[in-house]
Amino acid sequence: RGPHGKKPAVFLFGDSHAQMMVPALRHAVSRDYAFVYATKPMHDCFHLASSYCLRVGLHIKRLLKPGDIVAMGFASWKFSPTVIPPAGFKGSFRSLDQYMRLIRYWSEHTKAKGVSVLVLGDQTVMRNAGLLCIPSTFNPNSGSKCARTRKWGTFYARKLRSKLRDLLDKVVSNVYFFDPRDLFCDNSM
């Protein structure tokens, strides 16, 4: 909470897709907020109450003060039954419903304390494995093999975005959604 313990804090939890946001989020908020994160790859706190998830949740709840932000992020492929190549990832609508319950839970728990909830969106899955997408002197155009069209990016995780928008518009009032997808998509493809 800063040298005098007076700053509000951003508490981030989630999987590796939340972890990838740590440097940017820390940079964006560090002047005005303390920043704390507890991310764990392949650990879905929306599925089950593991000892790790319970410990993180209890710790965050204990430290919350008015003006704080609870941020969360998970891989969006986990919320779609579509197989996503090249890795073959596949989620489920059941996971999507569990995630909506988790967001609602945090909204209900934090609202009375004057705390906001930030749901971090996810990037569109690349068309090729990550290492094959890095341009090199041997393959300077490798990035083009990994690009997805805006149409595909819009289709991808549309059910997640729709349910989340519905939840934010009709149910919760202290939850905000940051969707980085449009930052990296244009109409050129």
Side-chain angles (χ1 to χ4, degrees):
R1 295 195 178 268
H4 306 292
K6 305 269 189 225
K7 280 184 175 181
V10 173
F11 298 94
L12 171 65
F13 72 93
D15 63 12
S16 60
H17 292 244
Q19 175 68 38
M20 73 180 180
M21 299 289 252
V22 166
L25 200 52
R26 179 186 289 139
H27 178 75
V29 304
S30 63
R31 193 175 113 214
D32 300 315
Y33 290 85
F35 182 70
V36 180
Y37 66 96
T39 55
K40 192 169 186 177
M42 299 303 291
H43 216 80
D44 302 328
C45 292
F46 57 87
H47 268 306
L48 69 138
S50 69
S51 61
Y52 171 79
C53 295
L54 291 172
R55 194 170 56 250
V56 167
L58 289 173
H59 190 73
I60 290 172
K61 287 182 218 173
R62 191 179 61 222
L63 296 173
L64 287 177
K65 294 183 180 179
D68 286 348
I69 299 170
V70 174
M72 66 183 81
F74 293 93
S76 56
W77 64 260
K78 295 174 181 178
F79 311 120
S80 173
T82 305
V83 175
I84 309 292
F89 296 136
K90 182 179 177 183
S92 71
F93 289 144
R94 181 174 173 266
S95 293
L96 175 59
D97 292 337
Q98 291 170 326
Y99 190 41
M100 294 300 116
R101 281 194 292 278
L102 179 71
I103 295 166
R104 192 174 186 160
Y105 166 82
W106 277 101
S107 172
E108 291 168 358
H109 182 78
T110 58
K111 188 174 184 178
K113 296 180 180 191
V115 173
S116 298
V117 176
L118 174 63
V119 177
L120 299 171
D122 196 15
Q123 80 287 353
T124 299
V125 175
M126 294 184 291
R127 200 171 65 201
N128 230 328
L131 289 176
L132 300 175
C133 301
I134 302 169
S136 68
T137 54
F138 301 107
N139 193 358
N141 298 321
S142 60
S144 63
K145 295 177 185 173
C146 299
R148 297 273 192 189
T149 64
R150 179 182 273 282
K151 182 178 179 182
W152 195 94
T154 301
F155 171 79
Y156 173 72
R158 75 178 185 272
K159 186 89 168 176
L160 166 65
R161 287 180 181 88
S162 172
K163 278 198 155 201
L164 188 55
R165 182 58 44 215
D166 198 47
L167 182 71
L168 270 60
D169 289 346
K170 298 176 184 169
V171 181
V172 298
S173 61
N174 65 327
V175 179
Y176 303 90
F177 177 49
F178 173 71
D179 189 358
R181 180 182 52 120
D182 287 334
L183 296 174
F184 304 103
C185 294
D186 62 26
N187 290 321
S188 64
M189 293 180 59

